Amino acid sequence: MTNYELQNPYSFFVNYMVWAPTQEFIENSNAKKLMNIVNEIYGTNIQDWDSLYNWSNENRADFWWTAIRDLGVVFKEQPTRILEGDDIKNQEWLLGAKFNPVDSCFNNKDKGKTAIISGTGEDLKETTYGQLEEMVNAFANGLNKFGYKPRDTFMICRPMDEVAVAMHLGVIKFGGSVLPANQSLEDNFRDKQIRIINNSFIGNVAAIFEENEVLDMRTGDKKSIEIFMENKQFFESYPLNPHDVTEVFFTSGTTGNPKGIPGTAIGSLKSPITTRYHLDVKPEDIMTWEVGFHGLIRKWLIYSSLMNNATMSLYRGSYLDEDYGRFLQNSKSTLIGLTPKLAKKWRKTGNMNNFNLSDVRAINVTGEGIGIREQLYLSKLTNNAAIYNVTGGAEMGGDQITTTLLKPICVTGINSACLGTGVYILNKNGNVSKEGEGFWYGQNPGASKTLLNENGDELHEKTYFLGKENRILRGPNKELLRRHGDYLIHKMGQYFCLGRVADIIMTPSANFSPALLEDEIESHPYVNNCAVISVDSENKKKLVVYISLESSYKKRDIPKCELQKLISDIIEISEVKVIDSIPLSITGKKSREVLRKNYYGV
């Protein structure tokens, strides 16, 4: 990037469109179908995305109920009321309803259609909807056979494959809740999670499912997975209330104890609805996500694909390896999710360059925003797929600001808030602005209502609803606001997420995303990874750059002047610190908070 572009990045980005839909795509999209349904039912005249978004934000109960009906959600008992409560904190959805989200994954589906493609680039295995449903039934029957109870919680520590999917859905069909955990979790972090759950309102973790065996936490006994999968007879799903807990997700804990976030049955419907209309997911799509770290992404992928009658592709191996490119090519995956870190590794190693990825039509970049180099690289790699950022979190059930494929996409931008989601940006004085901290308002079925930690209600209130001097946060029309913690810029209909408010690099002329500066510094041939932080020193801010070096580089450091050239003179680098590796959170994000604490000696 030039000096001018670095000093005015978002004015530059908003005019740099990298993808746009065709009129034919728009006319045949799921969102256009929804517009027609809304027009017919409610007498509106919605013809474009922005009008649909405005209607969904002003008529949340009507929007979510119309979308739920269009998705084909199966109810054991129909709701007597769609929504009760007038804000994002005090809300009850689908009052009187009983349902189990697993039923909607298989209802009216062709049992011979492929539900999952799994394996490696040279060894693909297909599992049909019929076969997967048998496995789900078998697993639910196994839980019943060994005396577990509905509403028990089960930790799943198995790599994402067809069996892990069957476990996840089998637990929920049985009436339990799932804690999706990564095998690489350190034992002390896993123990923290279990302690928090055991002391919460959802009760003890009843069992841990590893790759080949089950540890019964009640007795300490171990059993093979196969014993749980013997009885494939149909299992009648447990009737859940909309706000019953079905999954548990944890924050990284970098700023204290990890927070336990309860995911609910009604929250399970958010991701398939968002992807149905924003990404236009259809039965012919094959969806794959980098799911190694984040439990929420597992839920997101399972429900987004199965409820929309699509296929998910699950790779067994390292996403950095060349074989993953072969897997994407041979599985003909159409929708990919990945982190910026993975995209950077692909660009630097070239491991994906020899494969035909022209079937890919969109790539969702989650975790932190993608840089311009990676976005253009992925666009070229996939023959001009739509590459886009999102922001959201487990505490909101997933995306809150995410791109729609019905509008053009600019470099690093996000062209819409989610349907049914209200967004305000407030400056440091608490006034609505085009730049500042982002807040959500209005009822949202994916939003958490408490945390599983000790004093969960109080901690939830403090984390998401209280501002300075412990005052409730309010919008310009006295709306109750909910914090997520991201710093946003809104220009010409495009959102730019600069990262966490605490991480923003502030200068007298402008505020910058640390990722933007890191992207420039990481273009140095010998910088493997980088994190930048702003620290206080003698009543002023200074920039400290942490780098890890490529293994091929034999020297111990890189002169500061070489890195300064890469970011021009927009901000002066005060210190460069070389470390073995940049610390990451459990969700794969750079832990700049850890680096700040280390810098201050905390």
Side-chain angles (χ1 to χ4, degrees), residues 321-503:
D321 290 348
E322 189 176 86
D323 186 59
Y324 186 49
R326 188 176 295 108
F327 175 82
L328 294 175
Q329 171 187 273
N330 294 345
S331 65
K332 299 186 181 298
S333 294
T334 61
L335 297 171
I336 299 177
L338 47 78
T339 60
K341 179 184 175 184
L342 182 62
K344 287 178 182 178
K345 290 292 186 182
W346 284 3
R347 181 173 63 83
K348 282 195 171 185
T349 63
N351 282 350
M352 303 294 121
N353 295 355
N354 296 325
F355 300 101
N356 179 3
L357 303 185
S358 59
D359 288 308
V360 177
R361 63 179 185 85
I363 297 182
N364 173 316
V365 181
T366 187
E368 294 182 321
I370 192 168
I372 184 171
R373 290 179 178 82
E374 280 65 48
Q375 188 166 18
L376 297 178
Y377 165 75
L378 291 174
S379 180
K380 182 179 180 181
L381 183 70
T382 56
N383 195 23
N384 197 34
I387 319 297
Y388 65 96
N389 289 321
V390 303
T391 183
E395 79 282 0
M396 291 295 291
D399 306 350
Q400 296 304 305
I401 298 180
T402 189
T403 287
T404 169
L405 298 188
L406 269 69
K407 293 174 63 177
I409 300 172
C410 76
V411 168
T412 77
I414 309 173
N415 64 15
S416 180
C418 280
L419 293 174
T421 299
V423 180
Y424 281 128
I425 298 175
L426 303 184
N427 61 23
K428 61 183 179 181
N429 297 320
N431 298 320
V432 175
S433 175
K434 293 292 185 180
E435 179 175 344
E437 185 173 357
F439 294 88
W440 321 133
Y441 69 90
Q443 306 93 328
N444 188 309
S448 63
K449 301 173 73 173
T450 188
L451 295 172
L452 300 180
N453 305 63
E454 185 178 359
N455 301 319
D457 290 348
E458 180 182 336
L459 180 60
H460 190 267
E461 175 105 343
K462 180 180 179 181
T463 303
Y464 301 118
F465 292 103
L466 296 184
K468 294 179 180 178
E469 299 176 357
N470 287 331
R471 292 178 181 174
I472 293 289
L473 297 163
R474 296 281 179 182
N477 300 311
K478 305 303 180 183
E479 306 96 330
L480 183 65
L481 299 183
R482 179 171 177 137
R483 168 182 284 114
H484 176 59
D486 283 336
Y487 193 94
L488 302 174
I489 291 176
H490 193 222
K491 273 183 175 285
M492 295 172 60
Q494 299 276 343
Y495 291 94
F496 298 93
C497 181
L498 279 64
R500 309 300 287 173
V501 171
D503 293 337

Side-chain angles (χ1 to χ4, degrees), residues 14-35:
V14 78
N15 290 304
Y16 192 162
M17 295 297 168
V18 291
W19 185 90
T22 64
Q23 191 60 36
E24 180 183 10
F25 175 86
I26 293 172
E27 291 301 320
N28 293 313
S29 67
N30 290 327
K32 186 65 176 180
K33 175 190 171 188
L34 180 65
M35 293 178 205

Side-chain angles (χ1 to χ4, degrees), residues 188-440:
N188 64 336
F189 191 87
R190 187 181 297 185
D191 290 343
K192 280 184 181 179
Q193 292 182 335
I194 292 173
R195 281 198 302 272
I196 290 171
I197 290 175
N198 288 351
N199 292 320
S200 75
F201 65 88
I202 65 172
N204 291 347
V205 173
I208 299 176
F209 295 91
E210 304 282 359
E211 185 159 7
N212 297 308
E213 60 185 14
V214 179
L215 171 61
D216 190 326
M217 298 293 283
R218 304 167 303 181
T219 64
D221 295 339
K222 291 185 177 182
K223 298 180 177 66
S224 70
I225 293 293
E226 288 75 15
I227 295 177
F228 273 77
M229 309 288 283
E230 291 176 341
N231 182 3
K232 296 182 179 180
Q233 290 183 338
F234 179 77
F235 185 91
E236 181 65 35
S237 63
Y238 184 86
L240 294 166
N241 295 309
H243 293 281
D244 280 346
V245 178
T246 53
E247 285 101 354
V248 177
F249 309 109
F250 277 90
T251 63
S252 62
T254 54
T255 57
N257 272 333
K259 297 181 181 70
I261 300 168
T264 60
I266 181 67
S268 301
L269 307 182
K270 187 181 184 307
S271 60
I273 287 173
T274 299
T275 53
R276 185 178 187 84
Y277 303 121
H278 282 255
L279 297 188
D280 199 45
V281 175
K282 291 182 174 176
E284 57 267 28
D285 277 311
I286 300 172
M287 307 172 69
T288 186
W289 246 249
E290 183 189 355
V291 293
F293 282 106
H294 201 343
L296 175 66
I297 297 299
R298 295 189 180 202
K299 174 180 181 175
W300 195 101
L301 177 59
I302 289 170
Y303 288 128
S304 293
S305 60
L306 297 183
M307 286 193 185
N308 282 304
N309 198 23
T311 300
M312 72 181 93
S313 55
L314 306 173
Y315 180 64
R316 287 295 297 265
S318 169
Y319 300 102
L320 295 172
D321 290 348
E322 189 176 86
D323 186 59
Y324 186 49
R326 188 176 295 108
F327 175 82
L328 294 175
Q329 171 187 273
N330 294 345
S331 65
K332 299 186 181 298
S333 294
T334 61
L335 297 171
I336 299 177
L338 47 78
T339 60
K341 179 184 175 184
L342 182 62
K344 287 178 182 178
K345 290 292 186 182
W346 284 3
R347 181 173 63 83
K348 282 195 171 185
T349 63
N351 282 350
M352 303 294 121
N353 295 355
N354 296 325
F355 300 101
N356 179 3
L357 303 185
S358 59
D359 288 308
V360 177
R361 63 179 185 85
I363 297 182
N364 173 316
V365 181
T366 187
E368 294 182 321
I370 192 168
I372 184 171
R373 290 179 178 82
E374 280 65 48
Q375 188 166 18
L376 297 178
Y377 165 75
L378 291 174
S379 180
K380 182 179 180 181
L381 183 70
T382 56
N383 195 23
N384 197 34
I387 319 297
Y388 65 96
N389 289 321
V390 303
T391 183
E395 79 282 0
M396 291 295 291
D399 306 350
Q400 296 304 305
I401 298 180
T402 189
T403 287
T404 169
L405 298 188
L406 269 69
K407 293 174 63 177
I409 300 172
C410 76
V411 168
T412 77
I414 309 173
N415 64 15
S416 180
C418 280
L419 293 174
T421 299
V423 180
Y424 281 128
I425 298 175
L426 303 184
N427 61 23
K428 61 183 179 181
N429 297 320
N431 298 320
V432 175
S433 175
K434 293 292 185 180
E435 179 175 344
E437 185 173 357
F439 294 88
W440 321 133

